[in-house]
Amino acid sequence: MTALETGVDQSAPEFAGNRAAMLDKLAELDAEHAKAVAGGGEKYTARHRKRGKLLARERIELLVDADAPFLEFSPLAAWGTDYQVGGSVVTGIGVIEGVECVLVASDPTVRGGSSNPWTLKKNLRAMEIAMGNRLPLVNLVESGGADLPAQKEIFIPGGKMFRELTRLSAAGIPTIALVFGNSTAGGAYVPGMSDHVVMIKERSKVFLGGPPLVKMATGEESDDESLGGAEMHARVSGLADYYALDEQDAIRIGRRIVARLNWRKHGPAPSAPAPEPLYDAEDLLGIVPTDLKVPFDPREVLARVVDGSDFDEFKPGYGSSLVTGWARVHGYPVGVLANAQGVLFSTESQKATQFIQLANQTDTPLIFLHNTTGYMVGREYEQAGMIKHGAMMINAVSNSTVPHISLLIGASYGAGHYGMCGRAYDPRFLFAWPSAKSAVMGPQQLAGVLSIVARQAAEGAGREYRDEDDAAMRAAVEQQIEAESLPMFLSGRLFDDGVIDPRDTRTVLGICLSAIHNGPVAGSNDFGVFRM
Amino acid sequence: MITRLLVANRGEIARRVFHTCRELGIECVAVYSDADAEQDHAREADLAVRLPGTAAADTYLSADALIAAARSSGADAIHPGYGFLSEDADFAAKVSAAGLVWIGPAAQAIEAMAAKVPAKQLMAEAGVPVLGELDPERLTSADLPVLLKASAGGGGRGMRVVRALDELDSALESARLEAAAAFGDATVFCEPYLEAGRHIEVQVLADTHGTVWAVGERECSIQRRHQKVIEEAPAPLVQRQPMLREQLCAAARDAAKAIEYVGAGTVEFLADEQGRFFFLEMNTRLQVEHPVTECTTGLDLVRWQLRIAEGWSLPATPPESTGHAIEARLYAEDPAREWQPSSGPLYLFDVDGREREFQVLADPAIRLDSGVRTGSEVSVHYDPMLAKVISYAPTRTEAARALSAALGRARVHGLRTNRDLLVRTLRHPAFLAGDTDTAFFDRHGLAALAAPLADTTIERLSALAAALADAAENRRGATVLRAIPSGWRNIVSQDQLKCYASDRAEHAVRYRFTRDGPHAPDYPDVLVGSAGPDLVELLVDGVRHGFAVARYPDRVCVDSAMGAVDLVPVPRFTDPAKVRAPGSLLAPMPGNVVRIAVSVGDQVAAGQPLLWLEAMKMEHTIAAPASGVVGELLVASGQQVAQDATLIVIAEPEADQPQVEEGRST
């Protein structure tokens, strides 16, 4: 075993400052998370309870195994938009009868649980996680359908939800719908496309058209119960497989369904035992500098995340701005790529490419710790083939078939974000620390580039370029880019799966790796043509 | 010389006799009824003979079956233990007639003491003080209170206390009925009743050469329904009254000599504070409470029973008694519920003294005489005594403290026991002052004495401990994500919740594992020290308490220094199919009503067939889903009905009748 050593000095003022700044960010984050938990607010929560109904998270808590963990995804969905933080749906990985499942629960306290564009994005992302990691999907449905004023944003793309449901089923991934309330019109296809359907007496309402629409369409007089009540679907239409008497009964039946899935994970089991790291996760609060221009050693992070702080570094003396090496997390073997000095040079790119190929050769999942300002620029580097080498790395990341998990702990700028398996590169999971920032480049650099370009354009056109205008423009741009590169903003747009407390990193990775191993873990030899 | 001995008994006393036999090199033969096939006494013996059947009359009370068992197993002696046939003169005679050695007095001596009325006369003639017999027909109020006793009786059956003359007739009748049922002899006699009497008895040993020892007295005043619960040697009263011991011992020797007694026996007296005492009866066998005498005298009474049967002579004088011994009988019964016996699996039986089982203690220690162990099944067929726990110490106070401590920390799971009553009694100031008499439980209040040692505060803490331990157990048993922190959430919306029911209350325990450890919002003064599946440490006001938690199919048992708590986990889910609600019964398919068994207004029980429907050449039974009343009968015999036609409506028996929960699922 090769135990990492630490140079972290908990008594140093920098450490205290970093820690205080991180705690401030965590407090802000908690406040935003609380908004998601509050759902539609006191009034609608009270009304929902008065109807004898459980809240979305209460349903989830009852559905998952007692004392088992639950990892919620994208709690900040729709942050920074006109919609309620959380996207009126709760998604995550929970354990039901010992089976890791993706849970999707509409939050009926937010505009009746109706879908807005963020609801749809979050829903589709949860289904993507179910598909990518071979996790059974349980929908806890109570939704008024599309949020009609936003229908143009969701009607056409929203069809994908139903397609994905049946594609999951076709892939051998069971889909279960527990219908707690409305699931009408398009929403009726959620139970319609699910493998197992539970409906609740006098609660579930599943029809294509309600009484008014039926009256308009055919003139027929009808009522909710005969069109789509649970009893009707259980006895007459056969759409409901199980007839539950109340919510707790539906959840009980849902658990029994999962218990009978005969579920077996296809990936290898973790090694046992998995020793805890040698160093305290609490230190992670003080490691990332408040100014991301100051690099920090990712080995200090690894020393507080990986099993026994045990890390075998690959090519430590070559391309030292990128740390690569092997470790285990909760018993699962992983390869790690972590930025050390921000910039990726040709050597780092070549090292990364080789390392990714090695991981694919041995079916080893990869974890990317982002703190990069991008690939090196400049005459010397361009002439040395920086593009070719960066492309090699992106080629390797793109075609690698072992599971990837990305973690944005610092900067993630430019093509470096791509090379380190950014969101567009479909890592199985992507989480950010509150300290992370991601954009095409740093706000100052971007503002500076715009300034230079604008000045050149003005000069070319013979216009006057006033310095005070330039300063104002730069300040405005800097501010905007800064705001748009912050994790809450990015999380709100579903560019990650959530912003996590750095101290939870090991736990989050452990849950993700375990979930990943529901599917097979297999590397590839098929890469694109590498430009050498 | 005895080489192979059959014990015509079961459980604890059979094992007690085997213990001495093994020390002496005598082979042991057990007998067992069908209910006892897996019991320790049957498993431990060198040979064991099945007595087919379960009822006592077919098995341990069947003289012929027992003698046949001795024959088939090649035993040359029979020890009767106590109870069952131990005082049956016919059995003793049959054993001797079969050429087997009988460990006990001759049949004539048993006979002489068997009927209490003649026995009292015999004793009076021998100069032993007896209570005058009263003629029930001529009682006056001055004679009250009086005690009615079955002449052939024992164990409190057929016994009645009469405090008013107008109660006499009915008491006589019920005593006679009970005596007839229990002993086959309805004879009942009447004697003055010493309201606050003390039960004092003297252990005698007599050999076949004319030596009779009175080896010391025991006091057995703490009784419930005339059955002994706590016994001790020496007796506090005798210690206080000069010369009383000599008088008692002399009377006991006289009693034994009067009937030419041989072997171990006990002469029972009723004594009062003034030092007066009266002969009650003589038990012509080994007593349940013999261990206290063994510990204070150093004699192995079973060994001497066997020696005497082999013709040994007793030395001239008995040994001196030293120290104090107290025995508590641990019963599987609920003192708070009319002493209702408890039966079922004994999940855990962890009581001090196992390593000194059946030993004659020479040094201060706890001895355990038990017939059960962890995993035993306690049946409804026999006596509910689980064990005798015996404490031996230099002084009475020390013996009582050690015994109450041993009982207090005993872990007995699965059955209700009288343990808390024993502990409270042993710690009671009146008991410690030696102020014991047969009315002890009445005087000091059974309800208070039988109250659980764990008060409501400890019960609440125990529920928290159970929840945290169950949480740890859930994590230990997890098949995935086992090493992830318990109940981990990146977005916290609520606490974990577990509910437990006790006799007193339902406890809903909320808790959450935070970065700083487990946190229970409803227990603001409690810090959690550690929380493992089997042990939880809670800091309450700076004091650390350890709670041992054990889980069984139907309960969670929490033990701490502050008392044991039994909790029933309330399942997260209840299958509504198990909660039968009254309502309408619909035809499951089209068919013809063949028969109807009920009419409107009938009371029906859950599961009772109500009508039969013939469809597709098959007869379908429509049964009541719940107990209730037939509210409406909507079809007639011979009627053709459509699917889902309402056939019968069952109404609830009463408006507020709760639904019957027939089971739980977890």
Side-chain angles (χ1 to χ4, degrees):
Chain A
M1 103 161 239
T2 316
L4 288 163
E5 290 180 359
T6 185
V8 168
D9 176 8
Q10 289 93 340
S11 60
E14 296 81 31
F15 182 92
N18 295 343
R19 182 182 153 85
M22 185 66 90
L23 285 171
D24 282 349
K25 289 187 181 119
L26 284 172
E28 283 174 45
L29 187 64
D30 281 348
E32 296 307 311
H33 284 161
K35 288 181 191 168
V37 171
E42 270 177 42
K43 182 181 157 195
Y44 290 101
T45 300
R47 190 174 77 177
H48 185 74
R49 283 233 167 87
K50 211 172 150 187
R51 291 170 175 166
K53 294 178 164 199
L54 296 169
L55 300 177
R57 283 182 181 78
E58 291 172 342
R59 290 170 180 164
I60 288 172
E61 292 284 345
L62 205 52
L63 181 58
V64 298
D65 292 351
D67 306 300
F70 180 71
L71 173 61
E72 192 172 320
F73 298 129
S74 313
L76 297 179
W79 188 93
T81 72
D82 294 339
Y83 295 98
Q84 169 69 32
V85 172
S88 72
V89 63
V90 183
T91 65
I93 289 180
V95 183
I96 302 172
E97 296 282 358
V99 179
E100 291 147 317
C101 299
V102 169
L103 277 59
V104 177
S106 18
D107 183 349
T109 66
V110 184
R111 293 173 66 84
S114 58
S115 292
N116 60 51
W118 305 107
T119 320
L120 178 62
K121 274 200 170 63
K122 189 164 163 178
N123 231 312
L124 290 173
R125 171 60 188 150
M127 294 169 84
E128 189 175 279
I129 289 170
M131 180 69 105
N133 301 291
R134 195 176 162 270
L135 300 170
L137 176 73
V138 184
N139 265 298
L140 293 82
V141 190
E142 182 169 17
S143 166
D147 191 292
L148 289 176
Q151 69 83 24
K152 67 179 190 301
E153 303 286 341
I154 50 178
F155 165 61
I156 290 170
K160 191 174 182 189
M161 271 189 44
F162 314 123
R163 175 174 183 258
E164 288 304 307
L165 271 174
T166 187
R167 290 185 69 238
L168 281 167
S169 180
I173 300 171
T175 55
I176 298 163
L178 311 180
V179 186
F180 287 88
N182 281 329
S183 182
T184 56
Y189 288 104
V190 173
M193 307 305 297
S194 292
D195 297 338
H196 306 267
V197 176
V198 182
M199 292 195 199
I200 302 173
K201 180 185 177 184
E202 289 161 14
R203 288 285 170 85
S204 309
K205 202 194 285 183
V206 184
F207 43 61
L208 295 176
L213 194 146
V214 170
K215 173 83 174 159
M216 288 306 296
T218 66
E220 183 188 351
E221 294 287 348
S222 55
D223 59 64
D224 283 356
E225 198 58 31
S226 66
L227 289 174
E231 187 163 356
M232 187 285 283
H233 281 307
R235 285 174 172 275
V236 183
S237 79
L239 176 60
D241 304 312
Y242 302 89
Y243 178 69
L245 293 185
D246 54 24
E247 294 205 4
Q248 74 91 21
D249 191 33
I251 292 167
R252 181 189 67 83
I253 295 169
R255 288 178 55 79
R256 295 312 306 155
I257 293 169
V258 175
R260 296 293 184 188
L261 291 178
N262 190 23
W263 194 250
R264 281 156 300 185
K265 295 174 78 161
H266 287 182
S271 67
E276 288 291 302
L278 302 178
Y279 310 103
D280 194 350
E282 199 67 26
D283 297 343
L284 292 171
L285 296 180
I287 288 176
V288 184
T290 48
D291 183 354
L292 289 181
K293 281 186 191 140
V294 181
F296 61 93
D297 187 350
R299 294 175 195 85
E300 295 289 5
V301 175
L302 294 171
R304 287 155 182 83
V305 170
V306 303
D307 294 354
S309 306
D310 185 6
F311 182 68
D312 285 300
E313 195 165 340
F314 169 76
K315 267 186 156 73
Y318 181 86
S320 59
S321 184
L322 181 75
V323 174
T324 54
W326 310 105
R328 285 178 181 267
V329 178
H330 280 288
Y332 292 103
V334 292
V336 179
L337 298 94
N339 305 109
Q341 271 102 38
V343 188
L344 291 161
F345 298 90
S346 291
T347 47
E348 278 74 11
S349 304
Q350 288 171 317
K351 173 176 168 179
T353 304
Q354 184 187 359
F355 187 72
I356 291 167
Q357 283 188 298
L358 290 174
N360 275 271
Q361 185 189 48
T362 57
D363 302 331
T364 307
L366 289 170
I367 293 175
F368 297 81
L369 296 186
H370 294 229
N371 184 23
T372 178
T373 51
Y375 292 101
M376 195 61 195
V377 293
R379 187 184 305 123
E380 180 191 343
Y381 303 101
E382 300 282 12
Q383 291 184 355
M386 187 67 249
I387 295 172
K388 287 197 307 178
H389 298 131
M392 272 176 82
M393 180 170 167
I394 294 171
N395 178 346
V397 168
S398 303
N399 293 301
S400 160
T401 57
V402 294
H404 298 170
I405 300 173
S406 272
L407 200 58
L408 275 58
I409 60 177
S412 186
Y413 290 131
H417 174 74
Y418 304 156
M420 290 297 286
C421 198
R423 186 62 144 181
Y425 289 76
D426 285 343
R428 298 290 183 91
F429 298 96
L430 187 151
F431 290 94
W433 284 9
S435 47
K437 280 179 193 172
S438 191
V440 66
M441 62 186 80
Q444 286 172 327
Q445 290 80 357
L446 195 145
V449 170
L450 280 182
S451 162
I452 292 166
V453 174
R455 190 182 296 273
Q456 285 173 345
E459 279 169 5
R463 279 188 278 110
E464 183 193 6
Y465 192 76
R466 299 195 332 174
D467 280 349
E468 58 266 40
D469 291 349
D470 182 62
M473 183 277 287
R474 280 165 67 148
V477 167
E478 234 176 85
Q479 204 179 357
Q480 181 203 335
I481 301 305
E482 170 76 12
E484 291 174 357
S485 64
L486 289 177
M488 284 204 242
F489 176 84
L490 296 171
S491 203
R493 308 183 80 78
L494 276 296
F495 289 142
D496 61 32
D497 295 316
V499 184
I500 61 167
D501 187 318
R503 294 169 291 186
D504 287 334
T505 303
R506 177 173 166 79
T507 295
V508 171
L509 289 177
I511 294 173
C512 292
L513 284 165
S514 181
I516 282 168
H517 284 72
N518 278 274
V521 175
S524 172
N525 279 322
D526 300 333
F527 292 87
V529 173
F530 287 118
R531 287 181 182 277
M532 294 299 175
Chain B
M1 195 178 76
I2 298 165
T3 58
R4 183 176 291 175
L5 179 133
L6 179 142
V7 178
N9 215 303
R10 63 180 298 281
E12 173 266 330
I13 190 58
R15 298 189 63 231
R16 164 68 190 92
V17 176
F18 295 156
H19 173 82
T20 292
C21 286
R22 268 192 295 272
E23 288 188 348
L24 296 174
I26 297 172
E27 292 172 19
C28 307
V29 182
V31 288
Y32 61 89
S33 70
D34 289 343
D36 280 349
E38 303 301 325
Q39 293 293 315
D40 275 6
H41 82 270
R43 287 259 170 256
E44 274 176 19
D46 298 305
L47 298 169
V49 181
R50 176 184 170 217
L51 303 176
T54 296
D58 301 333
T59 54
Y60 304 109
L61 284 174
S62 168
D64 295 338
L66 291 163
I67 289 166
R71 285 240 170 78
S72 63
S73 61
D76 48 19
I78 291 185
H79 191 300
Y82 54 70
F84 294 124
L85 293 177
S86 62
E87 293 182 283
D88 188 307
D90 289 345
F91 181 55
K94 280 184 184 171
V95 169
S96 302
L100 300 165
V101 177
W102 167 250
I103 311 299
Q108 299 88 312
I110 299 174
E111 187 72 55
M113 285 298 175
K116 292 185 179 174
V117 179
K120 268 174 75 175
Q121 282 161 7
L122 193 65
M123 290 298 110
E125 287 161 19
V128 178
V130 296
L131 282 168
E133 194 174 329
L134 300 168
D135 181 352
E137 305 303 317
R138 295 162 64 181
L139 281 187
T140 66
S141 51
D143 297 322
L144 296 174
V146 297
L147 185 66
L148 306 178
K149 284 169 96 173
S151 180
R157 278 179 296 178
M159 218 180 259
R160 293 287 184 281
V161 177
V162 178
R163 292 193 168 81
L165 286 178
D166 58 359
E167 293 168 5
L168 183 67
D169 288 346
S170 67
L172 264 175
E173 188 177 332
S174 69
R176 281 180 181 138
L177 279 174
E178 200 170 298
F183 313 110
D185 177 357
T187 311
V188 167
F189 65 99
C190 177
E191 61 184 26
Y193 179 61
L194 268 61
E195 194 79 66
R198 287 165 175 261
H199 181 108
I200 310 258
E201 59 187 31
V202 177
Q203 176 71 49
V204 297
L205 272 180
D207 65 15
T208 51
H209 310 287
T211 304
V212 178
W213 281 0
V215 294
E217 85 287 352
R218 296 184 285 258
E219 174 160 351
C220 319
S221 300
I222 308 283
Q223 301 185 356
R224 59 101 172 150
R225 294 186 170 176
H226 307 288
Q227 207 175 95
K228 298 162 188 170
V229 177
I230 293 175
E231 301 111 328
E232 58 184 310
L237 175 70
V238 177
Q239 297 283 76
R240 284 203 290 269
Q241 291 282 348
M243 300 308 291
L244 182 53
R245 178 167 296 126
E246 286 70 13
Q247 293 165 18
L248 282 165
C249 287
R253 276 192 300 267
D254 290 346
K257 281 176 181 161
I259 56 168
E260 294 175 2
Y261 194 82
V262 168
T266 296
V267 187
E268 296 190 340
F269 299 97
L270 199 60
D272 65 14
E273 277 299 323
Q274 289 74 46
R276 294 182 298 166
F277 63 90
F278 307 96
F279 172 82
L280 280 179
E281 61 180 4
M282 180 166 184
N283 292 317
T284 54
R285 55 171 165 88
L286 195 65
Q287 294 279 92
V288 177
E289 59 271 24
H290 73 275
V292 293
T293 300
E294 292 190 321
C295 292
T296 51
T297 61
L299 294 168
D300 178 337
L301 291 174
V302 173
R303 180 182 296 235
W304 272 106
Q305 281 189 301
L306 298 173
R307 282 174 167 176
I308 288 167
E310 289 180 321
W312 286 48
S313 298
L314 286 164
T317 51
E320 289 292 315
S321 291
T322 53
H324 201 101
I326 306 178
E327 173 184 284
R329 298 193 193 182
L330 189 60
Y331 282 101
E333 66 184 15
D334 189 350
R337 287 200 181 85
E338 299 283 306
W339 310 97
Q340 195 179 309
S342 173
S343 60
L346 190 56
Y347 297 126
L348 180 67
F349 189 75
D350 181 6
V351 184
D352 282 7
R354 180 68 84 186
E355 67 283 6
R356 281 177 293 277
E357 230 178 2
F358 306 120
Q359 285 180 20
V360 176
L361 299 174
D363 297 310
I366 297 291
R367 159 177 167 176
L368 179 70
D369 285 20
S370 79
V372 296
R373 59 179 157 75
T374 296
S376 290
E377 185 82 19
V378 175
S379 74
V380 294
H381 305 294
Y382 313 107
D383 187 76
M385 190 175 83
L386 296 175
K388 307 179 309 204
V389 189
I390 302 107
S391 164
Y392 177 59
T395 66
R396 183 171 187 270
T397 314
E398 289 166 290
R401 184 171 64 191
L403 182 55
S404 70
L407 288 164
R409 67 175 162 261
R411 300 185 73 194
V412 182
H413 296 168
L415 300 173
R416 286 178 187 277
T417 72
N418 64 340
R419 180 259 300 272
D420 291 0
L421 170 71
L422 295 173
V423 172
R424 284 191 186 276
T425 302
L426 290 164
R427 290 177 182 168
H428 198 279
F431 179 87
L432 292 172
D435 201 2
T436 53
D437 60 53
T438 51
F440 189 89
F441 289 154
D442 289 337
R443 182 179 355 274
H444 300 294
L446 183 63
L449 286 169
L453 289 173
D455 61 18
T456 48
T457 306
I458 294 300
E459 186 176 295
R460 227 178 133 256
L461 290 170
S462 298
L464 173 60
L468 295 174
D470 280 355
E473 175 66 13
N474 281 344
R475 297 313 299 147
R476 180 164 72 174
T479 51
V480 294
L481 304 177
R482 189 182 309 154
I484 301 296
S486 186
W488 182 87
R489 301 284 181 271
N490 53 334
I491 308 300
V492 177
S493 62
Q494 56 213 283
D495 296 314
Q496 301 280 317
L497 177 70
K498 292 198 191 323
C499 298
Y500 300 90
S502 76
D503 282 351
R504 292 178 176 134
E506 186 159 315
H507 300 275
V509 184
R510 296 190 296 139
Y511 61 92
R512 177 149 47 89
F513 284 76
T514 67
R515 252 177 254 287
D516 303 322
H519 172 69
D522 300 325
Y523 294 79
D525 305 325
V526 177
L527 286 174
V528 181
S530 68
D534 313 312
L535 180 70
V536 173
E537 291 179 324
L538 302 177
L539 278 97
V540 186
D541 297 329
V543 180
R544 192 168 73 188
H545 296 254
F547 294 84
V549 181
R551 269 162 295 276
Y552 304 104
D554 56 346
R555 68 188 74 199
V556 178
C557 298
V558 185
D559 294 293
S560 72
M562 312 298 283
V565 174
D566 246 33
L567 297 167
V568 176
V570 179
R572 290 171 89 194
F573 302 100
T574 307
D575 184 350
K578 313 262 175 169
V579 186
R580 308 277 172 160
S584 302
L585 299 179
L586 309 184
M589 58 189 66
N592 188 39
V593 178
V594 193
R595 283 187 313 257
I596 300 177
V598 291
S599 44
V600 171
D602 282 4
Q603 289 278 351
V604 293
Q608 182 180 331
L610 305 178
L611 65 75
W612 288 265
L613 203 62
E614 192 185 85
M616 300 296 289
K617 297 176 192 153
M618 298 200 38
E619 211 173 83
H620 302 271
T621 307
I622 308 297
S627 304
V629 177
V630 179
E632 291 177 65
L633 185 58
L634 299 157
V635 292
S637 194
Q639 186 180 334
Q640 182 70 29
V641 294
Q643 181 174 347
D644 290 341
T646 304
L647 307 171
I648 291 184
V649 178
I650 303 295
E652 302 195 20
E654 282 165 32
D656 298 329
Q657 192 80 3
Q659 293 181 355
V660 183
E661 193 171 309
E662 292 183 352
R664 298 162 183 275
S665 67
T666 47

